[in-house]
Amino acid sequence: MDEQSLKAALPFVPALQFFESTGSTNDIAMSWAAQGAHDFSLVVANHQSAGRGRLQRRWITTAGSALAFSLVLRPTSIEAEHLSFFTALGALALSDVLKEQYGLVSMIKWPNDVLLNHRKTAGILVEAAWQGDVVQSVILGIGVNVALESVPPEEEVLYPATCVESALGKEVNRMEFLAALLERIKFLRPEMRSPRFLEAWQRHLAFQGEAVQVTESDATILTGILSGLNEDGSLRLQTEAGTIYSIQVGDIRLRPVKTHS
Ligand code: BTN
């Protein structure tokens, strides 16, 4: 992977920066956005030394074995009303590509993880830059474990991990994968607020009808049945006592009560 071949493979991307190694593509994209990068400008890295996940977690990107990229998006005023849908946009686009290009069925562990065989294979980190109360840019950062070397050791992860090649049983061309994923993001973006999009998200939702535990940022633990998504993309959880909670994207941690093997 290099800048020249990326540019040739991604003619629909207006501008891109490629790094053999960098700290975090989200950080680069954020500063680029502040300097005026156009909508759909792309930052790709072969290796990240300070990759970040949600909740200030570390995201490991081993050289040559993963996809790590960040898109600068300039949200329309309608898109800006529900920023959490950008996370779903990344997750759903990835699920579609896994199915259409590789025949793999994936699930979305709300809000931002993509699972293959109940194991995490990708994570999405959406960050926004504001001026007053107006969103200037959204950075859609996606990390995908493609080859086996990209899967962190079991003791280093909070959730069991896997990679696309393990699920597929054969090699994947990262460049073709990236091109398909970006095209899918571009295609799905105008549908982001449509009922069809919400239905597709709902169909991919992991642990639906199962008992889950949600830990909120203040350490409150809610246990209940994950019953689906609300129209605004929040998660519906029904406790044993029948109370229905709507959980907004934020500092939460979701775990199935029963582990899958
Ligand atoms: C998570 O699982 O919590 C989200 C992980 C997001 C990782 C991607 S890799 C590309 C981009 N750059 C980062 O530093 N993070 C995102």
Side-chain angles (χ1 to χ4, degrees):
M1 210 185 255
D2 57 52
E3 190 155 318
Q4 214 180 341
S5 39
L6 278 169
K7 279 185 174 152
L10 307 170
F12 54 91
V13 168
L16 75 83
Q17 295 188 44
F18 171 75
F19 295 85
E20 200 40 61
S21 179
T22 190
S24 156
T25 54
N26 261 41
D27 291 345
I28 308 264
M30 192 59 94
S31 356
W32 199 12
Q35 288 157 24
H38 289 121
D39 185 63
F40 226 74
S41 294
L42 175 70
V43 180
V44 184
N46 195 39
H47 165 254
Q48 290 186 119
S49 54
R52 295 184 286 107
R54 275 179 76 237
L55 313 178
Q56 280 78 49
R57 290 185 188 136
R58 201 158 67 102
W59 180 263
I60 299 167
T61 306
T62 315
S65 63
L67 278 185
F69 67 92
S70 302
L71 271 174
V72 176
L73 300 175
R74 301 286 184 188
T76 62
S77 50
I78 293 170
E79 289 175 343
E81 280 170 29
H82 288 284
L83 292 181
S84 60
F85 274 72
F86 280 104
T87 308
L89 172 66
L92 209 47
L94 179 55
S95 292
D96 284 352
V97 169
L98 288 169
K99 181 81 185 95
E100 283 159 23
Q101 305 285 319
Y102 307 108
L104 295 172
V105 175
S106 60
M107 299 303 277
I108 299 172
K109 176 172 157 289
W110 190 91
N112 71 319
D113 295 340
V114 177
L115 310 179
L116 282 170
N117 302 324
H118 306 290
R119 291 176 161 256
K120 178 164 173 169
T121 197
I124 290 148
L125 178 66
V126 170
E127 297 178 302
W130 300 77
Q131 202 158 60
D133 53 6
V134 179
V135 188
Q136 296 298 308
S137 58
V138 164
I139 308 302
L140 173 56
I142 303 187
V144 188
N145 299 337
V146 178
L148 200 57
E149 303 78 59
S150 64
V151 182
E154 207 82 359
E155 63 278 9
E156 283 188 34
V157 290
L158 292 162
Y159 200 84
T162 188
C163 64
V164 181
E165 289 188 357
S166 291
L168 190 63
K170 63 177 184 195
E171 260 184 52
V172 166
N173 180 309
R174 283 186 304 150
M175 193 97 86
E176 285 171 14
F177 189 177
L178 176 63
L181 181 48
L182 291 168
E183 285 197 77
R184 193 67 196 166
I185 291 173
K186 206 173 157 68
F187 172 82
L188 276 184
R189 186 176 174 190
E191 307 220 342
M192 217 166 45
R193 295 310 323 278
S194 70
R196 209 160 29 158
F197 183 92
L198 194 70
E199 278 159 31
W201 187 5
Q202 178 110 8
R203 269 200 311 279
H204 285 85
L205 201 61
F207 318 125
Q208 229 166 137
E210 293 182 33
V212 296
Q213 201 174 66
V214 174
T215 310
E216 296 183 291
S217 55
D218 61 0
T220 310
I221 296 177
L222 296 172
T223 304
I225 303 294
L226 193 158
S227 61
L229 293 169
N230 296 310
E231 237 175 71
D232 64 355
S234 58
L235 191 72
R236 240 182 4 248
L237 189 77
Q238 178 160 10
T239 66
E240 220 178 338
T243 311
I244 295 176
Y245 286 92
S246 288
I247 298 157
Q248 306 294 328
V249 181
D251 292 349
I252 66 111
R253 204 184 80 162
L254 181 121
R255 290 286 180 275
V257 170
K258 256 195 286 170
T259 51
H260 296 262
S261 53

